[in-house]
Amino acid sequence: HWDIFLYLMYIDNCDQITVTDNDVTFTDEFTSIYFANSNTVVFSRNTLHGEHDHAYNGFGCGYSKDITITDNTLESGSIELAACARATVRGNTLQSGAIGLDSCRSVRVLHNDIHPKNGGIYLRDNILTTLRENTITNGTQAVSLEGCLFTHLIGNSFIDCGDEPAAFTNSLRSTWVHNYWGSSLSHPKVIHGTYNIIISDFPPRVITIPMINIDMIPKRTP
């Protein structure tokens, strides 16, 4: 049982790291456990207790490859990956946090149970991301895509997340298949988004083009 400020654990420039079956308490508002510049990382079956009401990250990872984050329970905080490649985030329970991917490639987010304070799963500047069979409950804008390419969203459930659980900006080639949108729909679900074209930086001029994606056959039950 550990208590420390800023980082409880910080691992940099390592290979073949496994952190499993730990019970951890973090008391600050930043990150509990962080991996950087590492390869073949396994973070599995850990329980993270956050004592701070506004904890940012429970687990963070940056500039790393071949990452497996599975079957963890985060009572507070989020899972955040930045500039990572070939990662799997599967079977985690987040009781008051989100999953965020920034500038990542080839990431699978599967079978997670997410109860966020805000958001749910948010992606920015990612390529080849799969979100499959995640459940997001009570999340404002449960899924958000910004600047993403080739995103596959399959069989996810958005429960009590409002009329527009998902949105996207400057994201192309997204596929929405058989997701649950908070109620039993007998028709396709339209997902609204935009594409912004910068005309000039000074003075700032941007043309915003409305776009839509469609989940043709939403599932009827979560």
Side-chain angles (χ1 to χ4, degrees):
H1 183 85
W2 308 320
D3 294 278
I4 196 168
F5 291 98
L6 295 182
Y7 293 111
L8 184 151
M9 178 186 295
Y10 182 88
I11 296 175
D12 188 11
N13 197 27
C14 292
D15 289 336
Q16 297 185 343
I17 302 298
T18 298
V19 178
T20 186
D21 295 311
N22 296 285
D23 191 275
V24 177
T25 296
F26 58 102
T27 58
D28 64 276
E29 62 180 320
F30 298 103
T31 301
S32 173
I33 297 172
Y34 191 81
F35 291 85
N37 305 298
S38 297
N39 299 319
T40 315
V41 173
V42 176
F43 186 75
S44 178
R45 301 194 306 272
N46 301 285
T47 300
L48 277 61
H49 310 275
E51 294 184 354
H52 197 285
D53 290 339
H54 303 290
Y56 180 60
N57 289 351
F59 176 87
C61 190
Y63 302 94
S64 299
K65 295 184 293 184
D66 299 316
I67 305 146
T68 303
I69 306 167
T70 61
D71 301 318
N72 302 285
T73 298
L74 280 69
E75 291 186 355
S76 182
S78 299
I79 295 173
E80 304 279 345
L81 275 62
C84 292
R86 300 191 301 274
T88 298
V89 183
R90 182 182 64 241
N92 302 284
T93 299
L94 288 80
Q95 296 181 3
S96 63
I99 295 175
L101 309 177
D102 190 341
S103 303
C104 295
R105 183 183 182 91
S106 299
V107 178
R108 300 185 304 156
V109 181
L110 316 171
H111 303 283
N112 298 282
D113 186 14
I114 305 169
H115 300 259
K117 290 183 178 179
N118 295 293
I121 299 175
Y122 54 93
L123 313 178
R124 184 173 67 179
D125 298 330
N126 296 284
I127 301 175
L128 294 171
T129 307
T130 298
L131 310 181
R132 182 187 289 270
E133 296 183 25
N134 302 283
T135 299
I136 303 174
T137 305
N138 295 323
T140 303
Q141 198 168 98
V143 173
S144 175
L145 282 61
E146 180 181 348
C148 296
L149 186 62
F150 297 113
T151 307
H152 305 286
L153 303 98
I154 305 166
N156 302 286
S157 296
F158 311 125
I159 300 171
D160 296 329
C161 294
D163 294 333
E164 298 291 338
F168 64 95
T169 302
N170 288 27
S171 296
L172 301 175
R173 306 298 293 270
S174 301
T175 303
W176 306 77
V177 179
H178 203 48
N179 301 283
Y180 176 75
W181 296 93
S183 61
S184 180
L185 298 179
S186 58
H187 54 79
K189 171 65 178 178
V190 176
I191 303 102
H192 295 278
T194 60
Y195 195 90
N196 300 322
I197 301 174
I198 299 174
I199 303 300
S200 65
D201 293 323
F202 186 82
R205 293 179 58 200
V206 177
I207 295 176
T208 298
I209 302 172
M211 298 181 65
I212 62 169
N213 288 167
I214 301 175
D215 187 341
M216 292 300 297
I217 309 175
K219 61 179 178 179
R220 297 290 188 92
T221 59

